[in-house]
Amino acid sequence: MPHPLLEVVQLLKEGSVRTAYHLLHSLNYDRKTQTKEYVFADALKKKFDVNYIEQANVYLGKYEDEEDSKIDIFDALAKVPVFTYSYQIGNPLLAEYITESGLADVAYMDLGLSKGSQAIAVMKLVAESDHPPEKFTVIGLEPVPASLDAAEQAIREAGKALPFAVDFVGIDKCAEDLSWEEWQDLRQRFGGKVTINAAYSLHHIVSEPHEGDERDRVLRQLYLLNPLGFVLLEGNANHNIDEFFQRFQNCWDLYGTCFDIVDAVNELTDAEKVALKVGFFGREIEDILSEDEMANRHERLEPLSVWVERFVRAGFYLKKKIPNIPPVNHPTLAVRQYRGYVGVEYNHRTIVGVLAAQVDKYSKV
């Protein structure tokens, strides 16, 4: 017997909208004990609601549940090993691109700065090298002004204890919103000395049908910065498609696995697990399934192999093998080297990956 929610989707596919509607609204799931079903059912109900339109960024809303609002979602996410491990791979790569350049004046560009914690981690790794630079400029792209301000404060404070001067350039935009003049300014100021980081941010780029592929355009602009290196962290699924039924299946498979991962983390309380599923992953599921088929959807993951193709089209060379991967001390996690990226697996399924690229085919790193 198929899962009732999959049956709802199958009825929709067959055109039996009324039957699907009544079946969906006959299902009652407990928010705490049947969280996966609860979240997916809620997203489908919003898809049926013709008055439901959500154009705000998926992360900017408040939690609907009072209990969730007391939990820092991103602090809880930091306890989930499949994601934290991707940073353990990516951060040393970023630091290595910077230190191996031998430049006294370097820049680090973060395409989704948030509150600056990853930038600070990379700064500290660079500071531990034998020959750190004299100046380190953080270029942070972050569309939320409050987060940008908090990041600048944290980065400047952390820089006081480091052996190089730290500067900060904040840009309250996403990369796809930069003008030609802004790209030109970045090339003039930081071209040839910047290392680029994109951690779970580029999949938010939306391409309008009449404007060409926006992701390829952004990657080409980043290539023209002549970066020392580029590290991408992304999820591995295909939600960047209009066809709803395949998108639902892809979403069900990925986030069902993510819910299993969260359930297996002993360091999380039951309340934190529910908050992550509803307040973090639930928002993404809602965005993928409830929004219309055009520009309102922000969560548009693509397979890692597609990102490999995009980087090559933009002109980058990819590391054939990422060295010095830290050991995996987790019973259900594994790492596998693929052509152009490293995949972090949970129970033999690649959930996220790390891609490392440079403009010079013969780069030392």
Side-chain angles (χ1 to χ4, degrees), residues 109 180 183-194 196 216-228 230 314-316 359:
M109 185 178 190
W180 183 88
W183 283 115
Q184 185 75 6
D185 180 63
L186 287 170
R187 284 197 291 273
Q188 290 175 353
R189 296 173 64 187
F190 304 107
K193 65 179 184 180
V194 63
I196 301 169
D216 284 353
R217 186 187 70 81
V218 168
L219 286 176
R220 184 60 185 172
Q221 290 290 349
L222 292 168
Y223 174 84
L224 292 175
L225 292 177
N226 191 28
L228 303 171
F230 192 150
F316 288 99
V359 298

Side-chain angles (χ1 to χ4, degrees), residues 295-359:
N296 286 350
R297 278 196 289 118
H298 300 275
E299 292 299 320
R300 294 171 174 262
L301 287 173
E302 290 185 307
L304 292 164
S305 58
V306 172
W307 285 109
V308 168
E309 295 170 0
R310 289 187 181 280
F311 270 75
V312 171
R313 275 201 301 273
F316 288 99
Y317 292 96
L318 302 179
K319 277 185 178 291
K320 293 182 178 178
K321 184 176 182 180
I322 295 178
N324 304 320
I325 294 176
V328 179
N329 298 314
H330 194 279
T332 55
L333 287 187
V335 172
R336 190 185 303 273
Q337 295 266 3
Y338 292 89
R339 186 174 180 83
Y341 68 92
V342 165
V344 183
E345 300 180 351
Y346 178 83
N347 284 342
H348 309 292
R349 176 191 174 97
T350 301
I351 304 300
V352 299
V354 180
L355 181 154
Q358 58 265 337
V359 298

Side-chain angles (χ1 to χ4, degrees), residues 61-226:
K62 296 294 185 183
Y63 312 134
E64 295 179 1
D65 186 89
E66 183 179 351
E67 183 180 11
D68 289 353
S69 67
K70 299 175 184 177
I71 296 171
D72 190 310
I73 295 291
F74 289 95
D75 282 351
L77 190 67
K79 300 177 185 178
V80 181
V82 71
F83 299 105
T84 57
Y85 191 69
S86 67
Y87 288 100
Q88 291 173 24
I89 299 171
N91 288 357
L93 284 167
L94 290 162
E96 190 176 11
Y97 277 127
I98 292 168
T99 58
E100 290 293 320
S101 72
L103 296 176
D105 184 357
V106 298
Y108 163 91
M109 185 178 190
D110 199 314
L111 302 183
L113 184 65
S114 187
K115 294 184 179 180
S117 59
Q118 189 180 6
I120 293 170
V122 173
M123 286 163 53
K124 290 179 178 179
L125 287 175
V126 171
E128 294 170 0
S129 67
D130 293 335
H131 302 287
E134 297 173 9
K135 183 179 179 181
F136 189 111
T137 301
V138 176
I139 308 162
L141 277 71
E142 171 54 57
V144 183
S147 294
L148 192 62
D149 291 342
E152 179 176 5
Q153 183 177 347
I155 287 166
R156 290 192 183 278
E157 184 63 30
K160 294 177 182 178
L162 301 178
F164 40 72
V166 173
D167 198 5
F168 182 85
V169 176
I171 303 173
D172 59 353
K173 293 182 177 182
C174 297
E176 63 270 28
D177 298 322
L178 294 178
S179 66
W180 183 88
E181 290 78 12
E182 287 170 316
W183 283 115
Q184 185 75 6
D185 180 63
L186 287 170
R187 284 197 291 273
Q188 290 175 353
R189 296 173 64 187
F190 304 107
K193 65 179 184 180
V194 63
T195 294
I196 301 169
N197 173 54
Y200 305 107
S201 57
L202 292 190
H203 70 267
H204 294 131
I205 296 176
V206 178
S207 296
E208 296 284 2
H210 61 285
E211 294 180 349
D213 195 297
E214 192 75 354
R215 297 182 183 191
D216 284 353
R217 186 187 70 81
V218 168
L219 286 176
R220 184 60 185 172
Q221 290 290 349
L222 292 168
Y223 174 84
L224 292 175
L225 292 177
N226 191 28

Side-chain angles (χ1 to χ4, degrees), residues 71 73 75-81 261-274 276:
I71 296 171
I73 295 291
D75 282 351
L77 190 67
K79 300 177 185 178
V80 181
I261 293 171
V262 168
D263 284 334
V265 179
N266 294 328
E267 292 80 7
L268 291 170
T269 66
D270 289 343
E272 285 177 321
K273 291 176 181 180
V274 173
L276 272 177

